[in-house]
Amino acid sequence: MTSETMIRPAATLTRQPLQVRAKRTASDGVVELELVHPDGAALPGWQPGAHIELHLPSGLSRQYSLCGNPDDTSSYRLGILSAPASRGGSSYVHVGLAENDILEVSGPRNNFELVLAPEYHFIAAGIGVTPMMPMLEEAERQGAGWKLTYMGRSRSSMAFWQELADKYPGRIDIRPDDEFGFPDLGALLGDPRDGVKIYACGPEGLLRALEGICAAWPAGTLHLERFAPKEPAAAPAPAISFRVKLALSGMELEVPAGRSIVEVAEQAGAPVIFSCMEGTCGTCETRILCGEADHRDSILSDEEKAANEMMMICVSRSKSDVLELEL
């Protein structure tokens, strides 16, 4: 998983300097990085599905899924796709970054946690395989049934496929488009049934198709991680002004139609932490104490949005005249 954003200088994020211990080619267009603490100190722990955020010298911030072993606290492993249409983050990592360089890193954070289940079907396309790699290990550890369907343009573009095939012989369904074409997702998933969790990461077209197919499955079956903000099926309701109470800061603020909660709270001096400003990274997730949120993020599931317990204050707004937050 990757998403590219600009870090605003006023944001306060816990960072640490990490050193590039190794940089190598993982496939056509993908490099693999190993990051370590310069002094050899242990790194913060994480669980499958977590990502870290790299803060680049240009001011760009990028989030990348961790694809190593969560039990290894000596290093972080990343797979990073070259994205020519990006704003320069991936090109810096591919071209400008060298072994032994120091990067500022924050995290890990996890918006894609692996829910305990007796059976999993993991579906990855391209660089979307990275969050799946530690999930496979965890599913093995749990003794759960699982399979991975891994898609891509060609084997040469599909990072880590040989490593996975060697590690789990007969368990990985490698489906490059130039050999198989685009798969029949409905046939791959089979009939709807209880006890299965489907985890998917890849391009928006794949995720949209899975959402349509899994609408017939039990609620909570499908878990997705997106590279970029989800395109709404319909235009969102027009933004209107509302008031927000910050319970911990003792403030009540007006949020006008053209501004976000993050922007208004930051200007008032509240201790907000944020990054992407597009509802994909989860940094600004905040608990709702009172009121109903107008959820516009690409992280929370439909069930989580309906529960109305948490919201991403960088993009989401309020359906209530007043919204009270634990902030």
Side-chain angles (χ1 to χ4, degrees), residues 115-120 142 144-145 195-197:
V115 177
L116 188 66
E119 182 183 348
Y120 300 97
Q142 293 175 10
V196 181
K197 296 297 182 185

Side-chain angles (χ1 to χ4, degrees), residues 65-82:
S65 296
L66 291 163
C67 61
N69 182 352
D71 292 333
D72 179 7
T73 60
S74 67
S75 67
Y76 290 149
R77 185 188 189 196
L78 308 171
I80 299 174
L81 174 69
S82 176

Side-chain angles (χ1 to χ4, degrees), residues 5 9 40 99 113-114 140 193 224 290 313:
T5 60
E99 291 185 353
E113 296 180 359
L114 188 66
E140 281 282 279
R193 55 199 184 276
L224 304 176
C290 187
I313 60 174

Side-chain angles (χ1 to χ4, degrees), residues 260-281:
S260 68
I261 297 174
V262 159
E263 291 171 322
V264 171
E266 181 194 28
Q267 185 177 31
V272 289
I273 301 175
F274 59 95
S275 176
C276 73
M277 294 299 287
E278 56 186 16
T280 58
C281 75

